[in-house]
Amino acid sequence: MVAGWREWVRLPGLGVGPVKAKLDTGARTSALHAFDLEEFSLDGSDRVRFSVHPWQRSAEDSVVVECPVHDRRLVRSSTGHAQERIVVLTEIELLGHTVTTEVTLTRRDEMGFRMLVGREALRQGFLVDSGRSYLGGRPPRRVRRKNRGRDGAA
């Protein structure tokens, strides 16, 4: 399947979506903007609770998520900064197809996209055409307006 360099994705296992994502073949693992991370143990299993702002440039409609911790990793950003991140295993719905992949949780306040989809997810059947965008279609106009920080009125 051919995808554009940016696409709308959903994270059905986390109850998050739609989110505008950058498909980044330079990143190994996918990354999601998450804040208020709280690690805890439940029945001997490590878990994490966190919040997600699905809209760019907006703090509205945050989603609180709770899921198992899959791993912890040292991740080096494109600027060379190393950071230990919590990794969760979840589904990403892209172009109408759902794949399971690892996603690191990090603050992406200053980044242009709330999510990066990395090579580990993309190698599950996607090719990226760097000259195209939104090949999977766009959400309704009210969702796109809300994502741009507008009121969502059509």
mmCIF file of all heavy atoms in Angstrom, residues 98-138:
data_model
loop_
_atom_site.group_PDB
_atom_site.id
_atom_site.type_symbol
_atom_site.label_atom_id
_atom_site.label_comp_id
_atom_site.label_asym_id
_atom_site.label_seq_id
_atom_site.Cartn_x
_atom_site.Cartn_y
_atom_site.Cartn_z
ATOM 1 N N THR A 98 -5.012 -2.117 9.824
ATOM 2 C CA THR A 98 -4.539 -2.031 11.201
ATOM 3 C C THR A 98 -3.326 -2.934 11.394
ATOM 4 O O THR A 98 -3.362 -4.108 11.020
ATOM 5 C CB THR A 98 -5.664 -2.442 12.172
ATOM 6 O OG1 THR A 98 -6.804 -1.596 11.927
ATOM 7 C CG2 THR A 98 -5.231 -2.287 13.608
ATOM 8 N N VAL A 99 -2.261 -2.351 11.955
ATOM 9 C CA VAL A 99 -1.055 -3.114 12.281
ATOM 10 C C VAL A 99 -0.738 -2.897 13.756
ATOM 11 O O VAL A 99 -1.073 -1.861 14.328
ATOM 12 C CB VAL A 99 0.149 -2.690 11.404
ATOM 13 C CG1 VAL A 99 -0.124 -2.979 9.942
ATOM 14 C CG2 VAL A 99 0.507 -1.224 11.593
ATOM 15 N N THR A 100 -0.110 -3.881 14.366
ATOM 16 C CA THR A 100 0.324 -3.764 15.752
ATOM 17 C C THR A 100 1.798 -3.398 15.765
ATOM 18 O O THR A 100 2.599 -4.009 15.041
ATOM 19 C CB THR A 100 0.097 -5.092 16.506
ATOM 20 O OG1 THR A 100 -1.299 -5.404 16.444
ATOM 21 C CG2 THR A 100 0.520 -4.976 17.959
ATOM 22 N N THR A 101 2.151 -2.409 16.571
ATOM 23 C CA THR A 101 3.537 -1.952 16.603
ATOM 24 C C THR A 101 3.883 -1.329 17.948
ATOM 25 O O THR A 101 3.002 -1.038 18.756
ATOM 26 C CB THR A 101 3.797 -0.949 15.454
ATOM 27 O OG1 THR A 101 5.196 -0.742 15.301
ATOM 28 C CG2 THR A 101 3.092 0.369 15.705
ATOM 29 N N GLU A 102 5.162 -1.122 18.169
ATOM 30 C CA GLU A 102 5.644 -0.435 19.366
ATOM 31 C C GLU A 102 5.548 1.069 19.151
ATOM 32 O O GLU A 102 5.848 1.563 18.063
ATOM 33 C CB GLU A 102 7.093 -0.818 19.652
ATOM 34 C CG GLU A 102 7.268 -2.284 19.967
ATOM 35 C CD GLU A 102 8.725 -2.667 20.140
ATOM 36 O OE1 GLU A 102 9.612 -1.988 19.581
ATOM 37 O OE2 GLU A 102 8.973 -3.661 20.841
ATOM 38 N N VAL A 103 5.136 1.778 20.205
ATOM 39 C CA VAL A 103 5.028 3.233 20.161
ATOM 40 C C VAL A 103 5.679 3.781 21.425
ATOM 41 O O VAL A 103 5.344 3.350 22.529
ATOM 42 C CB VAL A 103 3.549 3.682 20.077
ATOM 43 C CG1 VAL A 103 3.434 5.196 20.141
ATOM 44 C CG2 VAL A 103 2.890 3.146 18.814
ATOM 45 N N THR A 104 6.607 4.725 21.263
ATOM 46 C CA THR A 104 7.206 5.374 22.431
ATOM 47 C C THR A 104 6.348 6.568 22.825
ATOM 48 O O THR A 104 5.694 7.185 21.987
ATOM 49 C CB THR A 104 8.653 5.838 22.164
ATOM 50 O OG1 THR A 104 8.659 6.856 21.166
ATOM 51 C CG2 THR A 104 9.528 4.675 21.724
ATOM 52 N N LEU A 105 6.349 6.873 24.112
ATOM 53 C CA LEU A 105 5.568 7.997 24.642
ATOM 54 C C LEU A 105 6.521 9.137 24.975
ATOM 55 O O LEU A 105 7.496 8.951 25.706
ATOM 56 C CB LEU A 105 4.813 7.556 25.895
ATOM 57 C CG LEU A 105 3.919 6.333 25.732
ATOM 58 C CD1 LEU A 105 3.287 5.962 27.073
ATOM 59 C CD2 LEU A 105 2.855 6.565 24.669
ATOM 60 N N THR A 106 6.238 10.327 24.454
ATOM 61 C CA THR A 106 7.106 11.477 24.674
ATOM 62 C C THR A 106 6.319 12.768 24.479
ATOM 63 O O THR A 106 5.265 12.775 23.852
ATOM 64 C CB THR A 106 8.313 11.450 23.704
ATOM 65 O OG1 THR A 106 9.210 12.503 24.031
ATOM 66 C CG2 THR A 106 7.878 11.572 22.262
ATOM 67 N N ARG A 107 6.838 13.856 25.014
ATOM 68 C CA ARG A 107 6.222 15.178 24.797
ATOM 69 C C ARG A 107 6.620 15.648 23.408
ATOM 70 O O ARG A 107 7.790 15.692 23.085
ATOM 71 C CB ARG A 107 6.710 16.194 25.836
ATOM 72 C CG ARG A 107 6.400 15.862 27.256
ATOM 73 C CD ARG A 107 5.119 16.276 27.833
ATOM 74 N NE ARG A 107 4.492 17.486 27.403
ATOM 75 C CZ ARG A 107 3.681 18.191 28.155
ATOM 76 N NH1 ARG A 107 3.462 17.832 29.397
ATOM 77 N NH2 ARG A 107 3.076 19.245 27.696
ATOM 78 N N ARG A 108 5.632 15.998 22.599
ATOM 79 C CA ARG A 108 5.876 16.506 21.254
ATOM 80 C C ARG A 108 5.221 17.875 21.080
ATOM 81 O O ARG A 108 4.783 18.239 20.000
ATOM 82 C CB ARG A 108 5.344 15.517 20.204
ATOM 83 C CG ARG A 108 6.056 14.175 20.222
ATOM 84 C CD ARG A 108 5.597 13.258 19.107
ATOM 85 N NE ARG A 108 5.646 13.896 17.798
ATOM 86 C CZ ARG A 108 6.734 14.056 17.053
ATOM 87 N NH1 ARG A 108 7.893 13.601 17.490
ATOM 88 N NH2 ARG A 108 6.681 14.657 15.878
ATOM 89 N N ASP A 109 5.159 18.646 22.166
ATOM 90 C CA ASP A 109 4.512 19.963 22.133
ATOM 91 C C ASP A 109 5.052 20.851 21.023
ATOM 92 O O ASP A 109 4.305 21.553 20.360
ATOM 93 C CB ASP A 109 4.707 20.694 23.466
ATOM 94 C CG ASP A 109 4.022 20.003 24.615
ATOM 95 O OD1 ASP A 109 2.799 19.817 24.541
ATOM 96 O OD2 ASP A 109 4.717 19.648 25.582
ATOM 97 N N GLU A 110 6.353 20.831 20.850
ATOM 98 C CA GLU A 110 6.994 21.749 19.906
ATOM 99 C C GLU A 110 7.072 21.174 18.496
ATOM 100 O O GLU A 110 7.543 21.840 17.590
ATOM 101 C CB GLU A 110 8.408 22.097 20.395
ATOM 102 C CG GLU A 110 8.444 22.695 21.794
ATOM 103 C CD GLU A 110 7.579 23.942 21.925
ATOM 104 O OE1 GLU A 110 7.608 24.786 21.001
ATOM 105 O OE2 GLU A 110 6.866 24.065 22.938
ATOM 106 N N MET A 111 6.632 19.958 18.317
ATOM 107 C CA MET A 111 6.733 19.312 17.009
ATOM 108 C C MET A 111 5.481 19.592 16.179
ATOM 109 O O MET A 111 4.414 19.866 16.702
ATOM 110 C CB MET A 111 6.905 17.806 17.172
ATOM 111 C CG MET A 111 8.093 17.438 18.026
ATOM 112 S SD MET A 111 9.581 18.168 17.350
ATOM 113 C CE MET A 111 10.728 16.887 17.665
ATOM 114 N N GLY A 112 5.610 19.483 14.883
ATOM 115 C CA GLY A 112 4.508 19.772 13.977
ATOM 116 C C GLY A 112 3.435 18.703 13.942
ATOM 117 O O GLY A 112 2.326 18.957 13.487
ATOM 118 N N PHE A 113 3.755 17.497 14.401
ATOM 119 C CA PHE A 113 2.804 16.397 14.367
ATOM 120 C C PHE A 113 2.733 15.741 15.735
ATOM 121 O O PHE A 113 3.753 15.567 16.396
ATOM 122 C CB PHE A 113 3.217 15.344 13.327
ATOM 123 C CG PHE A 113 3.119 15.837 11.918
ATOM 124 C CD1 PHE A 113 4.166 16.523 11.330
ATOM 125 C CD2 PHE A 113 1.972 15.627 11.182
ATOM 126 C CE1 PHE A 113 4.077 16.994 10.032
ATOM 127 C CE2 PHE A 113 1.868 16.095 9.873
ATOM 128 C CZ PHE A 113 2.920 16.780 9.300
ATOM 129 N N ARG A 114 1.532 15.357 16.149
ATOM 130 C CA ARG A 114 1.334 14.686 17.441
ATOM 131 C C ARG A 114 1.848 13.254 17.408
ATOM 132 O O ARG A 114 2.039 12.643 18.445
ATOM 133 C CB ARG A 114 -0.147 14.669 17.825
ATOM 134 C CG ARG A 114 -0.731 16.036 18.050
ATOM 135 C CD ARG A 114 -0.193 16.673 19.288
ATOM 136 N NE ARG A 114 -0.905 17.925 19.537
ATOM 137 C CZ ARG A 114 -0.667 18.695 20.554
ATOM 138 N NH1 ARG A 114 0.239 18.375 21.437
ATOM 139 N NH2 ARG A 114 -1.341 19.802 20.706
ATOM 140 N N MET A 115 2.076 12.718 16.209
ATOM 141 C CA MET A 115 2.544 11.346 16.106
ATOM 142 C C MET A 115 3.492 11.181 14.936
ATOM 143 O O MET A 115 3.319 11.808 13.892
ATOM 144 C CB MET A 115 1.349 10.400 15.928
ATOM 145 C CG MET A 115 1.770 8.969 15.808
ATOM 146 S SD MET A 115 0.433 7.870 16.172
ATOM 147 C CE MET A 115 1.382 6.387 16.420
ATOM 148 N N LEU A 116 4.500 10.323 15.138
ATOM 149 C CA LEU A 116 5.365 9.859 14.056
ATOM 150 C C LEU A 116 5.098 8.379 13.885
ATOM 151 O O LEU A 116 5.017 7.643 14.880
ATOM 152 C CB LEU A 116 6.847 10.010 14.414
ATOM 153 C CG LEU A 116 7.455 11.385 14.466
ATOM 154 C CD1 LEU A 116 8.941 11.268 14.781
ATOM 155 C CD2 LEU A 116 7.259 12.116 13.165
ATOM 156 N N VAL A 117 4.979 7.929 12.655
ATOM 157 C CA VAL A 117 4.865 6.502 12.377
ATOM 158 C C VAL A 117 6.200 6.084 11.783
ATOM 159 O O VAL A 117 6.610 6.576 10.730
ATOM 160 C CB VAL A 117 3.705 6.207 11.406
ATOM 161 C CG1 VAL A 117 3.638 4.710 11.103
ATOM 162 C CG2 VAL A 117 2.384 6.701 11.986
ATOM 163 N N GLY A 118 6.898 5.196 12.493
ATOM 164 C CA GLY A 118 8.246 4.785 12.108
ATOM 165 C C GLY A 118 8.292 3.531 11.251
ATOM 166 O O GLY A 118 7.274 2.916 10.931
ATOM 167 N N ARG A 119 9.539 3.138 10.924
ATOM 168 C CA ARG A 119 9.774 2.005 10.018
ATOM 169 C C ARG A 119 9.180 0.694 10.493
ATOM 170 O O ARG A 119 8.715 -0.110 9.687
ATOM 171 C CB ARG A 119 11.280 1.798 9.816
ATOM 172 C CG ARG A 119 11.960 2.833 8.985
ATOM 173 C CD ARG A 119 13.386 2.426 8.642
ATOM 174 N NE ARG A 119 14.180 1.983 9.764
ATOM 175 C CZ ARG A 119 14.941 2.763 10.526
ATOM 176 N NH1 ARG A 119 14.988 4.063 10.277
ATOM 177 N NH2 ARG A 119 15.652 2.271 11.502
ATOM 178 N N GLU A 120 9.220 0.427 11.810
ATOM 179 C CA GLU A 120 8.700 -0.853 12.299
ATOM 180 C C GLU A 120 7.224 -1.025 11.943
ATOM 181 O O GLU A 120 6.784 -2.126 11.637
ATOM 182 C CB GLU A 120 8.899 -0.986 13.801
ATOM 183 C CG GLU A 120 10.331 -1.253 14.176
ATOM 184 C CD GLU A 120 10.517 -1.423 15.678
ATOM 185 O OE1 GLU A 120 9.566 -1.176 16.447
ATOM 186 O OE2 GLU A 120 11.623 -1.797 16.071
ATOM 187 N N ALA A 121 6.458 0.048 11.992
ATOM 188 C CA ALA A 121 5.048 -0.022 11.589
ATOM 189 C C ALA A 121 4.926 -0.047 10.073
ATOM 190 O O ALA A 121 4.139 -0.828 9.515
ATOM 191 C CB ALA A 121 4.267 1.158 12.163
ATOM 192 N N LEU A 122 5.699 0.783 9.392
ATOM 193 C CA LEU A 122 5.586 0.917 7.941
ATOM 194 C C LEU A 122 6.009 -0.349 7.199
ATOM 195 O O LEU A 122 5.454 -0.661 6.141
ATOM 196 C CB LEU A 122 6.406 2.112 7.453
ATOM 197 C CG LEU A 122 5.926 3.473 7.953
ATOM 198 C CD1 LEU A 122 6.933 4.550 7.605
ATOM 199 C CD2 LEU A 122 4.547 3.792 7.399
ATOM 200 N N ARG A 123 6.943 -1.098 7.761
ATOM 201 C CA ARG A 123 7.414 -2.299 7.065
ATOM 202 C C ARG A 123 6.368 -3.406 7.051
ATOM 203 O O ARG A 123 6.559 -4.438 6.436
ATOM 204 C CB ARG A 123 8.733 -2.786 7.642
ATOM 205 C CG ARG A 123 8.647 -3.425 8.996
ATOM 206 C CD ARG A 123 9.934 -4.167 9.397
ATOM 207 N NE ARG A 123 11.123 -3.481 9.015
ATOM 208 C CZ ARG A 123 12.052 -3.015 9.842
ATOM 209 N NH1 ARG A 123 11.907 -3.181 11.138
ATOM 210 N NH2 ARG A 123 13.115 -2.415 9.401
ATOM 211 N N GLN A 124 5.240 -3.166 7.698
ATOM 212 C CA GLN A 124 4.151 -4.148 7.709
ATOM 213 C C GLN A 124 3.196 -3.946 6.532
ATOM 214 O O GLN A 124 1.994 -4.160 6.643
ATOM 215 C CB GLN A 124 3.400 -4.081 9.037
ATOM 216 C CG GLN A 124 4.281 -4.446 10.227
ATOM 217 C CD GLN A 124 3.514 -4.410 11.522
ATOM 218 O OE1 GLN A 124 2.515 -5.114 11.678
ATOM 219 N NE2 GLN A 124 3.964 -3.586 12.461
ATOM 220 N N GLY A 125 3.742 -3.523 5.397
ATOM 221 C CA GLY A 125 2.941 -3.458 4.176
ATOM 222 C C GLY A 125 2.746 -2.083 3.578
ATOM 223 O O GLY A 125 1.888 -1.917 2.703
ATOM 224 N N PHE A 126 3.524 -1.073 4.005
ATOM 225 C CA PHE A 126 3.334 0.284 3.489
ATOM 226 C C PHE A 126 4.596 0.791 2.796
ATOM 227 O O PHE A 126 5.707 0.550 3.264
ATOM 228 C CB PHE A 126 3.001 1.253 4.628
ATOM 229 C CG PHE A 126 1.752 0.870 5.371
ATOM 230 C CD1 PHE A 126 1.837 0.167 6.564
ATOM 231 C CD2 PHE A 126 0.498 1.200 4.883
ATOM 232 C CE1 PHE A 126 0.698 -0.200 7.258
ATOM 233 C CE2 PHE A 126 -0.652 0.840 5.562
ATOM 234 C CZ PHE A 126 -0.550 0.146 6.761
ATOM 235 N N LEU A 127 4.401 1.499 1.697
ATOM 236 C CA LEU A 127 5.456 2.258 1.042
ATOM 237 C C LEU A 127 5.084 3.725 1.188
ATOM 238 O O LEU A 127 3.900 4.075 1.126
ATOM 239 C CB LEU A 127 5.556 1.914 -0.443
ATOM 240 C CG LEU A 127 5.998 0.493 -0.784
ATOM 241 C CD1 LEU A 127 5.887 0.265 -2.287
ATOM 242 C CD2 LEU A 127 7.409 0.259 -0.302
ATOM 243 N N VAL A 128 6.081 4.591 1.375
ATOM 244 C CA VAL A 128 5.807 6.013 1.559
ATOM 245 C C VAL A 128 6.228 6.779 0.305
ATOM 246 O O VAL A 128 7.377 6.705 -0.111
ATOM 247 C CB VAL A 128 6.548 6.565 2.801
ATOM 248 C CG1 VAL A 128 6.287 8.059 2.946
ATOM 249 C CG2 VAL A 128 6.137 5.810 4.046
ATOM 250 N N ASP A 129 5.281 7.496 -0.282
ATOM 251 C CA ASP A 129 5.552 8.391 -1.403
ATOM 252 C C ASP A 129 5.759 9.775 -0.799
ATOM 253 O O ASP A 129 4.794 10.414 -0.358
ATOM 254 C CB ASP A 129 4.380 8.388 -2.378
ATOM 255 C CG ASP A 129 4.620 9.261 -3.611
ATOM 256 O OD1 ASP A 129 5.490 10.173 -3.551
ATOM 257 O OD2 ASP A 129 3.933 9.041 -4.624
ATOM 258 N N SER A 130 7.008 10.224 -0.760
ATOM 259 C CA SER A 130 7.345 11.482 -0.080
ATOM 260 C C SER A 130 6.782 12.715 -0.780
ATOM 261 O O SER A 130 6.788 13.808 -0.209
ATOM 262 C CB SER A 130 8.859 11.620 0.063
ATOM 263 O OG SER A 130 9.470 11.665 -1.219
ATOM 264 N N GLY A 131 6.261 12.568 -1.978
ATOM 265 C CA GLY A 131 5.697 13.704 -2.702
ATOM 266 C C GLY A 131 4.188 13.819 -2.570
ATOM 267 O O GLY A 131 3.579 14.703 -3.171
ATOM 268 N N ARG A 132 3.582 12.930 -1.782
ATOM 269 C CA ARG A 132 2.121 12.941 -1.683
ATOM 270 C C ARG A 132 1.683 12.957 -0.228
ATOM 271 O O ARG A 132 2.435 12.580 0.666
ATOM 272 C CB ARG A 132 1.558 11.727 -2.407
ATOM 273 C CG ARG A 132 1.979 11.779 -3.888
ATOM 274 C CD ARG A 132 1.407 10.719 -4.736
ATOM 275 N NE ARG A 132 -0.041 10.835 -4.849
ATOM 276 C CZ ARG A 132 -0.782 9.848 -5.297
ATOM 277 N NH1 ARG A 132 -0.245 8.716 -5.678
ATOM 278 N NH2 ARG A 132 -2.086 9.989 -5.381
ATOM 279 N N SER A 133 0.438 13.374 0.005
ATOM 280 C CA SER A 133 -0.126 13.459 1.356
ATOM 281 C C SER A 133 -1.559 12.951 1.356
ATOM 282 O O SER A 133 -2.275 13.091 0.364
ATOM 283 C CB SER A 133 -0.154 14.913 1.847
ATOM 284 O OG SER A 133 1.134 15.441 1.945
ATOM 285 N N TYR A 134 -1.962 12.417 2.481
ATOM 286 C CA TYR A 134 -3.352 12.035 2.757
ATOM 287 C C TYR A 134 -3.952 11.120 1.697
ATOM 288 O O TYR A 134 -5.083 11.296 1.273
ATOM 289 C CB TYR A 134 -4.224 13.284 2.948
ATOM 290 C CG TYR A 134 -3.647 14.255 3.951
ATOM 291 C CD1 TYR A 134 -3.332 15.548 3.587
ATOM 292 C CD2 TYR A 134 -3.400 13.844 5.265
ATOM 293 C CE1 TYR A 134 -2.794 16.438 4.501
ATOM 294 C CE2 TYR A 134 -2.861 14.725 6.185
ATOM 295 C CZ TYR A 134 -2.559 16.017 5.797
ATOM 296 O OH TYR A 134 -2.019 16.881 6.705
ATOM 297 N N LEU A 135 -3.210 10.104 1.300
ATOM 298 C CA LEU A 135 -3.713 9.149 0.317
ATOM 299 C C LEU A 135 -4.827 8.289 0.907
ATOM 300 O O LEU A 135 -5.616 7.714 0.171
ATOM 301 C CB LEU A 135 -2.579 8.268 -0.214
ATOM 302 C CG LEU A 135 -1.473 9.033 -0.966
ATOM 303 C CD1 LEU A 135 -0.397 8.077 -1.439
ATOM 304 C CD2 LEU A 135 -2.053 9.814 -2.133
ATOM 305 N N GLY A 136 -4.884 8.217 2.234
ATOM 306 C CA GLY A 136 -5.950 7.477 2.901
ATOM 307 C C GLY A 136 -7.206 8.304 3.091
ATOM 308 O O GLY A 136 -8.154 7.855 3.733
ATOM 309 N N GLY A 137 -7.210 9.510 2.566
ATOM 310 C CA GLY A 137 -8.364 10.389 2.718
ATOM 311 C C GLY A 137 -8.232 11.267 3.945
ATOM 312 O O GLY A 137 -7.272 11.178 4.700
ATOM 313 N N ARG A 138 -9.203 12.118 4.113
ATOM 314 C CA ARG A 138 -9.208 13.065 5.228
ATOM 315 C C ARG A 138 -10.465 12.873 6.047
ATOM 316 O O ARG A 138 -11.503 12.507 5.517
ATOM 317 C CB ARG A 138 -9.160 14.494 4.699
ATOM 318 C CG ARG A 138 -7.897 14.795 3.931
ATOM 319 C CD ARG A 138 -7.980 16.194 3.344
ATOM 320 N NE ARG A 138 -6.893 16.437 2.426
ATOM 321 C CZ ARG A 138 -6.026 17.420 2.571
ATOM 322 N NH1 ARG A 138 -6.134 18.258 3.559
ATOM 323 N NH2 ARG A 138 -5.065 17.588 1.702
#
